Amino acid sequence: MTPARLLAVAPLVLALLAVSGCSSTWGCSDTTAKRGKAAVRVRVEDIYGQHLGASAEIVDWRLEPHPQRPSDGDQVHFHFRFYDADEFNGPALDVCAVDKKRVALLCETVYSAEAFGPNGDPTGDSWLAVEHPAQVAGVLFIPNDQHYQTRTCAQDGKDGGGPHPPEPATLGDQL
């Protein structure tokens, strides 16, 4: 085959591969957002680091036994509030109990929908069962919206990929 014929046929071959799905894994790429700065009050950020218009705040927290498991001892009981969040499709944020050096002792994801009670008040509460409650010096939100979870390239090379929220904070992470 002459070089001119190869150049003429190459686009057709690539188009056929793309239509068949054979080339889709070649173009699949994942990007992970950078974790925002944890704080008591945060502006919720999307996967691109842009403010979504909503914010969240840890209203208060205390150590006390969980009413359904008092024999487990003290746990972190915290109240949180979402501002300007959608009651049904709003953001989800990681919340962490931290020690005095802002090292995560335990984290979980809290959804804004959990904050809307029967009277529409956007305040909710939750519990963190940390291993050593006496080490807890505060409770912080991480501003990255975690509700936007798409499939990764590893999960689905054909349809996955794209931007993803940062990995959730875990025990020992410096916040």
Side-chain angles (χ1 to χ4, degrees):
M1 206 177 241
T2 67
R5 277 195 158 167
L6 277 174
L7 289 175
V9 173
L12 178 62
V13 171
L14 289 175
L16 287 172
L17 285 172
V19 170
S20 70
C22 293
S23 68
S24 60
T25 57
W26 297 344
C28 191
S29 64
D30 289 312
T31 57
T32 302
K34 182 180 175 196
R35 184 183 296 161
K37 183 171 174 55
V40 170
R41 184 170 180 150
V42 297
R43 293 170 38 148
V44 181
E45 300 174 1
D46 66 12
I47 53 179
Y48 302 102
Q50 301 298 310
H51 180 247
L52 288 177
S55 59
E57 174 181 28
I58 301 296
V59 177
D60 66 20
W61 69 273
R62 62 187 166 279
L63 296 175
E64 62 185 5
H66 191 285
Q68 295 174 337
R69 296 181 307 277
S71 62
D72 290 351
D74 282 345
Q75 295 181 16
V76 179
H77 184 202
F78 65 96
H79 289 85
F80 58 94
R81 177 183 292 266
F82 277 87
Y83 300 92
D84 301 318
D86 185 317
E87 181 176 353
F88 302 105
N89 297 312
L93 297 178
D94 287 339
V95 61
C96 300
V98 297
D99 67 12
K100 63 184 177 185
K101 294 181 181 179
R102 296 174 58 110
V103 173
L105 302 172
L106 184 68
C107 300
E108 72 174 32
T109 302
V110 175
Y111 293 82
S112 62
E114 296 174 47
F116 287 88
N119 62 359
D121 180 26
T123 303
D125 74 310
S126 192
W127 296 80
L128 294 167
V130 298
E131 189 172 344
H132 302 288
Q135 293 180 350
V136 177
V139 178
L140 303 175
F141 271 125
I142 299 174
N144 307 91
D145 182 10
Q146 292 288 337
H147 99 277
Y148 182 75
Q149 297 290 341
T150 59
R151 300 182 67 79
T152 64
C153 291
Q155 294 168 324
D156 187 348
K158 182 178 176 211
D159 299 321
H164 304 283
E167 292 295 320
T170 60
L171 177 69
D173 284 358
Q174 179 72 47
L175 303 179

